Amino acid sequence: MQESKKPIIQSIRDYVMLNPDIDDRKINIDYLGNGMEYSIDPIGADPVYKRYTDGTCLKQFQFAFTSKEAYDGDARTGIANSGFYQAFEEWVESNNMNDILPELDGHDATRVDVLQSGYLFSAEVDLGRYQMICRVIYR
């Protein structure tokens, strides 16, 4: 029986776990529970990023990186939450410059793009759901 390849979403999760600012909260896939945790949620998008005349192509895998954070309406809390996503975006950019990319099984990642900076997506009584839209470009 053929050994199955590691799914791209698992490679993205492994990559996100390398971020030094990620604390010991759970990193889920397609699920954000009731507490403070993270999730990586695949987004339906055209898998072909760029098609070349020789028939080859660059592909993309889009995902939302989401989290539930403390949210109390206080400016300091909002600044801290926004600062986390700004730092994460800068970490991704630095990784691209240094060829630190998700290790894909059977594919070569060329870069990770942040398509939409982190922002407050929705707020509950004491938790805010923050979201950032990203993609991995690979061949």
Short mmCIF file of all heavy atoms in Angstrom, two decimals, residues 51-117:
data_model
loop_
_atom_site.label_atom_id
_atom_site.label_comp_id
_atom_site.label_asym_id
_atom_site.label_seq_id
_atom_site.Cartn_x
_atom_site.Cartn_y
_atom_site.Cartn_z
N ARG A 51 -0.59 30.02 -14.88
CA ARG A 51 -0.39 28.94 -15.85
C ARG A 51 0.59 29.42 -16.92
O ARG A 51 0.49 30.53 -17.40
CB ARG A 51 -1.71 28.53 -16.49
CG ARG A 51 -1.63 27.27 -17.31
CD ARG A 51 -2.98 26.81 -17.83
NE ARG A 51 -3.96 26.55 -16.80
CZ ARG A 51 -4.02 25.45 -16.04
NH1 ARG A 51 -3.13 24.50 -16.20
NH2 ARG A 51 -4.98 25.29 -15.15
N TYR A 52 1.56 28.55 -17.26
CA TYR A 52 2.56 28.90 -18.25
C TYR A 52 2.24 28.25 -19.59
O TYR A 52 1.47 27.27 -19.65
CB TYR A 52 3.95 28.45 -17.77
CG TYR A 52 4.38 29.15 -16.50
CD1 TYR A 52 4.30 28.50 -15.27
CD2 TYR A 52 4.83 30.46 -16.53
CE1 TYR A 52 4.68 29.15 -14.10
CE2 TYR A 52 5.21 31.12 -15.36
CZ TYR A 52 5.12 30.45 -14.15
OH TYR A 52 5.49 31.10 -13.00
N THR A 53 2.82 28.78 -20.66
CA THR A 53 2.51 28.28 -22.01
C THR A 53 2.94 26.83 -22.21
O THR A 53 2.38 26.13 -23.04
CB THR A 53 3.19 29.16 -23.09
OG1 THR A 53 4.58 29.26 -22.80
CG2 THR A 53 2.57 30.53 -23.12
N ASP A 54 3.93 26.36 -21.43
CA ASP A 54 4.36 24.97 -21.58
C ASP A 54 3.45 23.99 -20.84
O ASP A 54 3.71 22.79 -20.81
CB ASP A 54 5.81 24.80 -21.13
CG ASP A 54 6.00 25.02 -19.63
OD1 ASP A 54 5.02 25.34 -18.93
OD2 ASP A 54 7.15 24.87 -19.17
N GLY A 55 2.38 24.50 -20.22
CA GLY A 55 1.42 23.64 -19.54
C GLY A 55 1.67 23.51 -18.05
O GLY A 55 0.81 23.01 -17.32
N THR A 56 2.84 23.92 -17.57
CA THR A 56 3.09 23.86 -16.13
C THR A 56 2.41 25.04 -15.45
O THR A 56 1.96 25.98 -16.11
CB THR A 56 4.61 23.88 -15.82
OG1 THR A 56 5.15 25.12 -16.30
CG2 THR A 56 5.32 22.70 -16.46
N CYS A 57 2.35 24.98 -14.14
CA CYS A 57 1.70 26.08 -13.43
C CYS A 57 2.22 26.21 -12.01
O CYS A 57 2.79 25.28 -11.46
CB CYS A 57 0.18 25.91 -13.42
SG CYS A 57 -0.40 24.45 -12.56
N LEU A 58 2.02 27.40 -11.47
CA LEU A 58 2.20 27.63 -10.04
C LEU A 58 0.83 27.48 -9.42
O LEU A 58 -0.17 27.92 -9.99
CB LEU A 58 2.71 29.07 -9.78
CG LEU A 58 4.19 29.35 -9.96
CD1 LEU A 58 4.46 30.83 -9.68
CD2 LEU A 58 5.03 28.48 -9.05
N LYS A 59 0.78 26.86 -8.26
CA LYS A 59 -0.50 26.65 -7.59
C LYS A 59 -0.55 27.47 -6.31
O LYS A 59 0.48 27.96 -5.84
CB LYS A 59 -0.70 25.17 -7.31
CG LYS A 59 -0.76 24.35 -8.61
CD LYS A 59 -1.06 22.92 -8.36
CE LYS A 59 -2.54 22.72 -8.62
NZ LYS A 59 -2.95 21.32 -8.44
N GLN A 60 -1.73 27.60 -5.76
CA GLN A 60 -1.90 28.33 -4.50
C GLN A 60 -2.83 27.57 -3.58
O GLN A 60 -3.72 26.85 -4.03
CB GLN A 60 -2.43 29.74 -4.75
CG GLN A 60 -3.86 29.78 -5.29
CD GLN A 60 -4.39 31.19 -5.44
OE1 GLN A 60 -3.90 32.12 -4.81
NE2 GLN A 60 -5.41 31.35 -6.27
N PHE A 61 -2.60 27.76 -2.30
CA PHE A 61 -3.49 27.22 -1.27
C PHE A 61 -3.79 28.39 -0.33
O PHE A 61 -2.90 28.88 0.36
CB PHE A 61 -2.79 26.08 -0.50
CG PHE A 61 -3.70 25.37 0.47
CD1 PHE A 61 -4.33 24.19 0.11
CD2 PHE A 61 -3.94 25.89 1.73
CE1 PHE A 61 -5.16 23.53 1.00
CE2 PHE A 61 -4.77 25.24 2.64
CZ PHE A 61 -5.39 24.06 2.27
N GLN A 62 -5.05 28.85 -0.37
CA GLN A 62 -5.43 29.99 0.47
C GLN A 62 -6.01 29.50 1.79
O GLN A 62 -6.70 28.48 1.84
CB GLN A 62 -6.46 30.87 -0.25
CG GLN A 62 -5.85 31.65 -1.39
CD GLN A 62 -6.78 32.73 -1.93
OE1 GLN A 62 -7.73 33.13 -1.26
NE2 GLN A 62 -6.50 33.19 -3.13
N PHE A 63 -5.73 30.28 2.85
CA PHE A 63 -6.25 29.92 4.17
C PHE A 63 -6.40 31.16 5.02
O PHE A 63 -5.76 32.19 4.80
CB PHE A 63 -5.32 28.91 4.86
CG PHE A 63 -3.93 29.41 5.13
CD1 PHE A 63 -3.59 29.94 6.39
CD2 PHE A 63 -2.95 29.37 4.16
CE1 PHE A 63 -2.31 30.39 6.64
CE2 PHE A 63 -1.66 29.82 4.40
CZ PHE A 63 -1.34 30.34 5.65
N ALA A 64 -7.29 31.05 5.99
CA ALA A 64 -7.45 32.09 7.00
C ALA A 64 -6.75 31.61 8.26
O ALA A 64 -6.92 30.46 8.67
CB ALA A 64 -8.93 32.34 7.29
N PHE A 65 -5.93 32.47 8.83
CA PHE A 65 -5.33 32.21 10.13
C PHE A 65 -6.17 33.00 11.12
O PHE A 65 -6.26 34.22 11.04
CB PHE A 65 -3.87 32.66 10.14
CG PHE A 65 -3.20 32.50 11.48
CD1 PHE A 65 -3.22 31.29 12.15
CD2 PHE A 65 -2.54 33.56 12.07
CE1 PHE A 65 -2.60 31.14 13.38
CE2 PHE A 65 -1.92 33.43 13.30
CZ PHE A 65 -1.96 32.21 13.96
N THR A 66 -6.87 32.30 12.00
CA THR A 66 -7.81 32.95 12.91
C THR A 66 -7.45 32.65 14.36
O THR A 66 -6.76 31.68 14.65
CB THR A 66 -9.26 32.49 12.65
OG1 THR A 66 -9.34 31.08 12.88
CG2 THR A 66 -9.71 32.79 11.23
N SER A 67 -7.92 33.51 15.24
CA SER A 67 -7.71 33.27 16.66
C SER A 67 -8.81 33.94 17.46
O SER A 67 -9.48 34.86 16.99
CB SER A 67 -6.35 33.81 17.11
OG SER A 67 -6.30 35.21 17.03
N LYS A 68 -8.98 33.43 18.66
CA LYS A 68 -9.83 34.11 19.64
C LYS A 68 -8.88 34.72 20.66
O LYS A 68 -8.00 34.04 21.17
CB LYS A 68 -10.81 33.14 20.29
CG LYS A 68 -11.97 32.83 19.37
CD LYS A 68 -13.16 32.36 20.15
CE LYS A 68 -14.34 32.15 19.20
NZ LYS A 68 -15.39 31.39 19.85
N GLU A 69 -9.06 36.01 20.89
CA GLU A 69 -8.19 36.76 21.79
C GLU A 69 -9.05 37.46 22.84
O GLU A 69 -10.24 37.71 22.61
CB GLU A 69 -7.41 37.83 21.00
CG GLU A 69 -6.63 37.32 19.81
CD GLU A 69 -5.41 36.50 20.19
OE1 GLU A 69 -4.98 36.56 21.35
OE2 GLU A 69 -4.89 35.79 19.31
N ALA A 70 -8.42 37.80 23.96
CA ALA A 70 -9.12 38.60 24.98
C ALA A 70 -9.62 39.88 24.30
O ALA A 70 -8.92 40.48 23.50
CB ALA A 70 -8.17 38.94 26.12
N TYR A 71 -10.86 40.24 24.60
CA TYR A 71 -11.44 41.43 23.97
C TYR A 71 -12.34 42.12 24.99
O TYR A 71 -13.31 41.53 25.47
CB TYR A 71 -12.25 41.04 22.73
CG TYR A 71 -12.87 42.22 22.04
CD1 TYR A 71 -12.10 43.03 21.20
CD2 TYR A 71 -14.20 42.55 22.23
CE1 TYR A 71 -12.65 44.11 20.57
CE2 TYR A 71 -14.76 43.64 21.60
CZ TYR A 71 -13.98 44.43 20.76
OH TYR A 71 -14.53 45.51 20.14
N ASP A 72 -11.97 43.34 25.33
CA ASP A 72 -12.75 44.06 26.34
C ASP A 72 -13.06 45.49 25.93
O ASP A 72 -13.57 46.28 26.73
CB ASP A 72 -12.01 44.04 27.69
CG ASP A 72 -10.60 44.61 27.57
OD1 ASP A 72 -10.27 45.21 26.53
OD2 ASP A 72 -9.83 44.45 28.54
N GLY A 73 -12.77 45.84 24.69
CA GLY A 73 -13.04 47.20 24.23
C GLY A 73 -11.96 48.19 24.63
O GLY A 73 -11.98 49.34 24.21
N ASP A 74 -11.00 47.76 25.46
CA ASP A 74 -9.93 48.65 25.91
C ASP A 74 -8.90 48.79 24.78
O ASP A 74 -8.55 47.81 24.13
CB ASP A 74 -9.26 48.04 27.15
CG ASP A 74 -8.23 48.98 27.75
OD1 ASP A 74 -7.09 48.97 27.23
OD2 ASP A 74 -8.55 49.70 28.71
N ALA A 75 -8.42 50.01 24.57
CA ALA A 75 -7.47 50.26 23.49
C ALA A 75 -6.20 49.43 23.64
O ALA A 75 -5.66 48.93 22.65
CB ALA A 75 -7.12 51.75 23.44
N ARG A 76 -5.73 49.24 24.86
CA ARG A 76 -4.49 48.47 25.06
C ARG A 76 -4.65 47.03 24.59
O ARG A 76 -3.74 46.46 24.00
CB ARG A 76 -4.07 48.50 26.53
CG ARG A 76 -3.52 49.86 26.96
CD ARG A 76 -3.29 49.87 28.43
NE ARG A 76 -4.59 49.65 29.09
CZ ARG A 76 -4.90 50.10 30.30
NH1 ARG A 76 -4.02 50.74 31.00
NH2 ARG A 76 -6.09 49.89 30.81
N THR A 77 -5.80 46.45 24.85
CA THR A 77 -6.06 45.07 24.40
C THR A 77 -6.09 45.01 22.88
O THR A 77 -5.50 44.12 22.27
CB THR A 77 -7.38 44.55 24.99
OG1 THR A 77 -7.35 44.72 26.41
CG2 THR A 77 -7.62 43.10 24.66
N GLY A 78 -6.79 45.95 22.29
CA GLY A 78 -6.87 46.00 20.82
C GLY A 78 -5.52 46.20 20.17
O GLY A 78 -5.19 45.59 19.15
N ILE A 79 -4.69 47.06 20.78
CA ILE A 79 -3.34 47.31 20.25
C ILE A 79 -2.50 46.04 20.35
O ILE A 79 -1.79 45.68 19.41
CB ILE A 79 -2.68 48.49 21.00
CG1 ILE A 79 -3.37 49.80 20.59
CG2 ILE A 79 -1.18 48.54 20.71
CD1 ILE A 79 -3.00 50.99 21.47
N ALA A 80 -2.58 45.34 21.47
CA ALA A 80 -1.82 44.09 21.65
C ALA A 80 -2.25 43.05 20.62
O ALA A 80 -1.40 42.39 20.00
CB ALA A 80 -2.00 43.55 23.06
N ASN A 81 -3.55 42.90 20.42
CA ASN A 81 -4.05 41.91 19.46
C ASN A 81 -3.63 42.27 18.04
O ASN A 81 -3.19 41.42 17.27
CB ASN A 81 -5.58 41.79 19.56
CG ASN A 81 -6.01 41.17 20.87
OD1 ASN A 81 -5.23 40.52 21.57
ND2 ASN A 81 -7.27 41.40 21.23
N SER A 82 -3.77 43.55 17.69
CA SER A 82 -3.37 44.00 16.36
C SER A 82 -1.86 43.84 16.18
O SER A 82 -1.39 43.45 15.11
CB SER A 82 -3.78 45.46 16.18
OG SER A 82 -3.44 45.92 14.89
N GLY A 83 -1.11 44.12 17.25
CA GLY A 83 0.34 43.98 17.20
C GLY A 83 0.78 42.55 16.95
O GLY A 83 1.77 42.31 16.23
N PHE A 84 0.06 41.58 17.51
CA PHE A 84 0.39 40.18 17.26
C PHE A 84 0.30 39.87 15.76
O PHE A 84 1.20 39.27 15.18
CB PHE A 84 -0.55 39.24 18.03
CG PHE A 84 -0.46 37.81 17.57
CD1 PHE A 84 0.57 37.00 18.02
CD2 PHE A 84 -1.38 37.29 16.67
CE1 PHE A 84 0.69 35.68 17.57
CE2 PHE A 84 -1.27 35.99 16.23
CZ PHE A 84 -0.24 35.18 16.67
N TYR A 85 -0.79 40.32 15.12
CA TYR A 85 -0.97 40.03 13.70
C TYR A 85 0.03 40.80 12.84
O TYR A 85 0.50 40.29 11.82
CB TYR A 85 -2.41 40.29 13.27
CG TYR A 85 -3.28 39.09 13.59
CD1 TYR A 85 -3.99 39.00 14.77
CD2 TYR A 85 -3.34 38.02 12.72
CE1 TYR A 85 -4.75 37.89 15.08
CE2 TYR A 85 -4.09 36.90 13.00
CZ TYR A 85 -4.79 36.83 14.19
OH TYR A 85 -5.53 35.71 14.48
N GLN A 86 0.39 42.02 13.24
CA GLN A 86 1.41 42.77 12.51
C GLN A 86 2.75 42.04 12.60
O GLN A 86 3.45 41.87 11.60
CB GLN A 86 1.55 44.18 13.08
CG GLN A 86 2.64 44.98 12.37
CD GLN A 86 2.83 46.36 12.98
OE1 GLN A 86 1.97 46.88 13.68
NE2 GLN A 86 3.99 46.94 12.73
N ALA A 87 3.10 41.56 13.79
CA ALA A 87 4.36 40.82 13.98
C ALA A 87 4.34 39.52 13.18
O ALA A 87 5.35 39.12 12.60
CB ALA A 87 4.59 40.55 15.46
N PHE A 88 3.18 38.85 13.13
CA PHE A 88 3.07 37.60 12.37
C PHE A 88 3.30 37.88 10.88
O PHE A 88 4.03 37.14 10.21
CB PHE A 88 1.69 36.96 12.60
CG PHE A 88 1.58 35.58 12.01
CD1 PHE A 88 1.95 34.47 12.74
CD2 PHE A 88 1.10 35.40 10.72
CE1 PHE A 88 1.86 33.20 12.19
CE2 PHE A 88 1.01 34.14 10.16
CZ PHE A 88 1.39 33.03 10.91
N GLU A 89 2.71 38.95 10.38
CA GLU A 89 2.89 39.32 8.97
C GLU A 89 4.36 39.61 8.67
O GLU A 89 4.90 39.16 7.65
CB GLU A 89 2.03 40.55 8.66
CG GLU A 89 2.06 40.98 7.22
CD GLU A 89 1.09 42.12 6.92
OE1 GLU A 89 0.15 42.36 7.71
OE2 GLU A 89 1.29 42.78 5.89
N GLU A 90 5.04 40.32 9.56
CA GLU A 90 6.46 40.62 9.37
C GLU A 90 7.31 39.35 9.45
O GLU A 90 8.30 39.21 8.72
CB GLU A 90 6.92 41.66 10.40
CG GLU A 90 6.31 43.03 10.12
CD GLU A 90 6.49 44.03 11.26
OE1 GLU A 90 7.07 43.67 12.31
OE2 GLU A 90 6.03 45.18 11.10
N TRP A 91 6.91 38.42 10.30
CA TRP A 91 7.60 37.13 10.41
C TRP A 91 7.49 36.37 9.09
O TRP A 91 8.47 35.81 8.60
CB TRP A 91 7.00 36.34 11.58
CG TRP A 91 7.51 34.95 11.78
CD1 TRP A 91 8.71 34.59 12.36
CD2 TRP A 91 6.86 33.73 11.43
NE1 TRP A 91 8.82 33.21 12.39
CE2 TRP A 91 7.71 32.67 11.82
CE3 TRP A 91 5.64 33.43 10.83
CZ2 TRP A 91 7.36 31.33 11.63
CZ3 TRP A 91 5.30 32.10 10.63
CH2 TRP A 91 6.16 31.07 11.03
N VAL A 92 6.30 36.36 8.49
CA VAL A 92 6.08 35.69 7.20
C VAL A 92 6.98 36.33 6.13
O VAL A 92 7.64 35.62 5.36
CB VAL A 92 4.59 35.74 6.79
CG1 VAL A 92 4.41 35.35 5.33
CG2 VAL A 92 3.76 34.85 7.69
N GLU A 93 7.02 37.66 6.07
CA GLU A 93 7.84 38.36 5.08
C GLU A 93 9.32 38.03 5.26
O GLU A 93 10.04 37.77 4.29
CB GLU A 93 7.62 39.86 5.18
CG GLU A 93 6.26 40.31 4.71
CD GLU A 93 5.96 41.77 5.05
OE1 GLU A 93 6.83 42.47 5.59
OE2 GLU A 93 4.82 42.20 4.79
N SER A 94 9.77 38.02 6.50
CA SER A 94 11.17 37.69 6.80
C SER A 94 11.48 36.25 6.39
O SER A 94 12.54 35.97 5.82
CB SER A 94 11.43 37.89 8.30
OG SER A 94 12.71 37.43 8.64
N ASN A 95 10.57 35.34 6.67
CA ASN A 95 10.75 33.94 6.27
C ASN A 95 10.87 33.81 4.75
O ASN A 95 11.70 33.04 4.27
CB ASN A 95 9.59 33.07 6.76
CG ASN A 95 9.70 32.76 8.24
OD1 ASN A 95 10.71 33.03 8.88
ND2 ASN A 95 8.64 32.22 8.79
N ASN A 96 10.05 34.55 4.01
CA ASN A 96 10.13 34.51 2.54
C ASN A 96 11.52 34.94 2.08
O ASN A 96 12.10 34.32 1.18
CB ASN A 96 9.07 35.42 1.91
CG ASN A 96 7.69 34.82 1.95
OD1 ASN A 96 7.52 33.61 2.06
ND2 ASN A 96 6.68 35.66 1.86
N MET A 97 12.05 36.01 2.69
CA MET A 97 13.37 36.53 2.31
C MET A 97 14.47 35.51 2.62
O MET A 97 15.50 35.49 1.95
CB MET A 97 13.66 37.84 3.05
CG MET A 97 12.66 38.94 2.76
SD MET A 97 12.75 39.54 1.07
CE MET A 97 14.23 40.52 1.19
N ASN A 98 14.26 34.69 3.65
CA ASN A 98 15.28 33.73 4.09
C ASN A 98 14.97 32.29 3.69
O ASN A 98 15.56 31.35 4.24
CB ASN A 98 15.43 33.83 5.62
CG ASN A 98 16.00 35.17 6.02
OD1 ASN A 98 17.09 35.53 5.62
ND2 ASN A 98 15.25 35.93 6.81
N ASP A 99 14.02 32.12 2.75
CA ASP A 99 13.66 30.78 2.26
C ASP A 99 13.22 29.83 3.36
O ASP A 99 13.51 28.63 3.33
CB ASP A 99 14.80 30.14 1.46
CG ASP A 99 14.78 30.56 0.00
OD1 ASP A 99 13.74 31.06 -0.45
OD2 ASP A 99 15.80 30.39 -0.68
N ILE A 100 12.54 30.36 4.37
CA ILE A 100 11.94 29.52 5.41
C ILE A 100 10.46 29.40 5.04
O ILE A 100 9.68 30.34 5.21
CB ILE A 100 12.12 30.14 6.81
CG1 ILE A 100 13.61 30.30 7.12
CG2 ILE A 100 11.42 29.28 7.86
CD1 ILE A 100 13.89 31.14 8.34
N LEU A 101 10.10 28.26 4.47
CA LEU A 101 8.77 28.06 3.91
C LEU A 101 8.18 26.75 4.42
O LEU A 101 8.91 25.88 4.90
CB LEU A 101 8.86 28.03 2.38
CG LEU A 101 9.42 29.31 1.73
CD1 LEU A 101 9.83 29.06 0.30
CD2 LEU A 101 8.39 30.43 1.83
N PRO A 102 6.86 26.60 4.28
CA PRO A 102 6.27 25.31 4.66
C PRO A 102 6.91 24.19 3.84
O PRO A 102 7.17 24.34 2.65
CB PRO A 102 4.79 25.48 4.29
CG PRO A 102 4.55 26.94 4.28
CD PRO A 102 5.84 27.56 3.82
N GLU A 103 7.18 23.07 4.51
CA GLU A 103 7.75 21.91 3.83
C GLU A 103 6.62 21.06 3.31
O GLU A 103 5.97 20.34 4.07
CB GLU A 103 8.65 21.14 4.79
CG GLU A 103 9.89 21.92 5.20
CD GLU A 103 10.80 21.14 6.11
OE1 GLU A 103 10.75 19.89 6.12
OE2 GLU A 103 11.60 21.79 6.82
N LEU A 104 6.38 21.17 2.01
CA LEU A 104 5.27 20.46 1.39
C LEU A 104 5.73 19.09 0.89
O LEU A 104 6.83 18.95 0.36
CB LEU A 104 4.71 21.27 0.22
CG LEU A 104 4.28 22.70 0.53
CD1 LEU A 104 3.73 23.37 -0.73
CD2 LEU A 104 3.26 22.74 1.64
N ASP A 105 4.89 18.11 1.07
CA ASP A 105 5.19 16.75 0.65
C ASP A 105 4.84 16.61 -0.83
O ASP A 105 3.66 16.66 -1.21
CB ASP A 105 4.34 15.78 1.50
CG ASP A 105 4.93 14.39 1.56
OD1 ASP A 105 5.89 14.11 0.83
OD2 ASP A 105 4.40 13.58 2.34
N GLY A 106 5.85 16.51 -1.69
CA GLY A 106 5.61 16.33 -3.13
C GLY A 106 5.52 17.64 -3.90
O GLY A 106 5.29 17.63 -5.11
N HIS A 107 5.68 18.77 -3.23
CA HIS A 107 5.63 20.08 -3.88
C HIS A 107 6.73 20.96 -3.29
O HIS A 107 7.24 20.68 -2.20
CB HIS A 107 4.28 20.77 -3.67
CG HIS A 107 3.12 19.99 -4.19
ND1 HIS A 107 2.83 19.88 -5.53
CD2 HIS A 107 2.17 19.27 -3.55
CE1 HIS A 107 1.75 19.14 -5.69
NE2 HIS A 107 1.33 18.74 -4.49
N ASP A 108 7.04 22.05 -3.98
CA ASP A 108 8.00 23.02 -3.46
C ASP A 108 7.30 24.35 -3.25
O ASP A 108 6.82 24.97 -4.21
CB ASP A 108 9.16 23.23 -4.46
CG ASP A 108 10.07 22.02 -4.53
OD1 ASP A 108 10.36 21.44 -3.48
OD2 ASP A 108 10.48 21.67 -5.66
N ALA A 109 7.23 24.79 -1.99
CA ALA A 109 6.66 26.11 -1.70
C ALA A 109 7.63 27.18 -2.18
O ALA A 109 8.85 27.03 -2.02
CB ALA A 109 6.42 26.25 -0.20
N THR A 110 7.11 28.23 -2.80
CA THR A 110 7.97 29.32 -3.27
C THR A 110 7.83 30.56 -2.38
O THR A 110 8.76 31.34 -2.27
CB THR A 110 7.68 29.70 -4.73
OG1 THR A 110 6.32 30.08 -4.85
CG2 THR A 110 7.96 28.52 -5.65
N ARG A 111 6.66 30.75 -1.77
CA ARG A 111 6.47 31.87 -0.85
C ARG A 111 5.13 31.74 -0.15
O ARG A 111 4.24 31.00 -0.58
CB ARG A 111 6.60 33.21 -1.54
CG ARG A 111 5.47 33.55 -2.50
CD ARG A 111 5.71 34.93 -3.10
NE ARG A 111 4.54 35.39 -3.81
CZ ARG A 111 4.31 35.20 -5.10
NH1 ARG A 111 5.19 34.54 -5.83
NH2 ARG A 111 3.23 35.66 -5.67
N VAL A 112 5.00 32.52 0.93
CA VAL A 112 3.73 32.66 1.64
C VAL A 112 3.34 34.13 1.54
O VAL A 112 4.16 35.00 1.82
CB VAL A 112 3.87 32.24 3.13
CG1 VAL A 112 2.55 32.44 3.87
CG2 VAL A 112 4.33 30.79 3.24
N ASP A 113 2.13 34.40 1.10
CA ASP A 113 1.65 35.77 0.97
C ASP A 113 0.59 36.06 2.01
O ASP A 113 -0.27 35.21 2.27
CB ASP A 113 1.00 36.01 -0.41
CG ASP A 113 1.99 35.91 -1.56
OD1 ASP A 113 3.18 36.22 -1.35
OD2 ASP A 113 1.56 35.54 -2.67
N VAL A 114 0.62 37.26 2.57
CA VAL A 114 -0.48 37.74 3.40
C VAL A 114 -1.35 38.57 2.48
O VAL A 114 -0.92 39.60 1.95
CB VAL A 114 0.03 38.58 4.59
CG1 VAL A 114 -1.14 39.20 5.35
CG2 VAL A 114 0.88 37.72 5.52
N LEU A 115 -2.57 38.12 2.24
CA LEU A 115 -3.48 38.80 1.32
C LEU A 115 -4.32 39.85 2.04
O LEU A 115 -4.77 40.81 1.42
CB LEU A 115 -4.41 37.79 0.64
CG LEU A 115 -3.72 36.69 -0.16
CD1 LEU A 115 -4.74 35.71 -0.72
CD2 LEU A 115 -2.88 37.29 -1.28
N GLN A 116 -4.56 39.63 3.31
CA GLN A 116 -5.36 40.57 4.10
C GLN A 116 -4.80 40.57 5.51
O GLN A 116 -4.73 39.53 6.16
CB GLN A 116 -6.82 40.13 4.09
CG GLN A 116 -7.80 41.17 4.56
CD GLN A 116 -9.23 40.72 4.30
OE1 GLN A 116 -9.60 39.59 4.60
NE2 GLN A 116 -10.02 41.59 3.72
N SER A 117 -4.37 41.74 5.96
CA SER A 117 -3.79 41.86 7.31
C SER A 117 -4.80 41.43 8.36
O SER A 117 -6.01 41.45 8.13
CB SER A 117 -3.38 43.31 7.57
OG SER A 117 -2.40 43.71 6.64
#
